[in-house]
Amino acid sequence: MASALCTVVVSLGARGVGRRPARGTNATSHWVWGDAAADQDPASVRYTAVGYLIHHASSVFWATFYERWLLSRIPLSRRPAIAAAAMAGVAYTVDYKVVPRRLTPGFEFHLSRPSILGAYAAFAAGLFLVAATRRR
């Protein structure tokens, strides 16, 4: 859920700056294809599918920390949205301040800072929604 919501926001952000929706996801494949991936507009298996798989795997990684570590320490009845926002903040910090440039999400190639913030907010919303639904 977090991966899908984030991808929708990234796609909308790319459109908002006059790019095709796949361009934001394509940029994530720069892990594999280098910076040329950031210049790819059309959806393709080579760039879009690889970019989404990388993004999804990263999302699962962070969601695992959220569900197994963070929620085990903070009961779901106590501020799960804050816990989700905190996890998204940690993910952002690692993605843009810790890892080498080659391992960033690639969103920065095309999205404005507010759109990147929106992508991480959507990621947090996805974490929260799944945890809240599971609780019921």
Side-chain angles (χ1 to χ4, degrees), residues 112-125:
S112 65
R113 285 193 184 262
S115 291
I116 293 172
L117 180 61
Y120 282 87
F123 178 76

Side-chain angles (χ1 to χ4, degrees), residues 3 26 67 70 78 81-83 88 93 95 99 108-110 112 131:
S3 174
N26 291 347
E67 291 190 7
L70 196 55
R78 301 175 128 210
I82 292 172
T93 301
D95 286 349
V99 301
E108 69 280 7
F109 288 113
H110 302 294
S112 65

Side-chain angles (χ1 to χ4, degrees), residues 53-122:
L53 288 174
I54 291 168
H55 172 68
H56 188 74
S58 297
S59 295
V60 169
F61 173 81
W62 291 115
T64 300
F65 271 106
Y66 174 72
E67 291 190 7
R68 303 280 187 220
W69 182 75
L70 196 55
L71 287 184
S72 70
R73 285 158 176 71
I74 301 171
L76 191 56
S77 62
R78 301 175 128 210
R79 300 184 178 42
I82 292 172
M87 190 80 267
V90 168
Y92 172 86
T93 301
V94 170
D95 286 349
Y96 287 106
K97 305 295 182 192
V98 176
V99 301
R101 183 178 173 274
R102 179 71 180 248
L103 299 179
T104 64
F107 305 154
E108 69 280 7
F109 288 113
H110 302 294
L111 301 182
S112 65
R113 285 193 184 262
S115 291
I116 293 172
L117 180 61
Y120 282 87

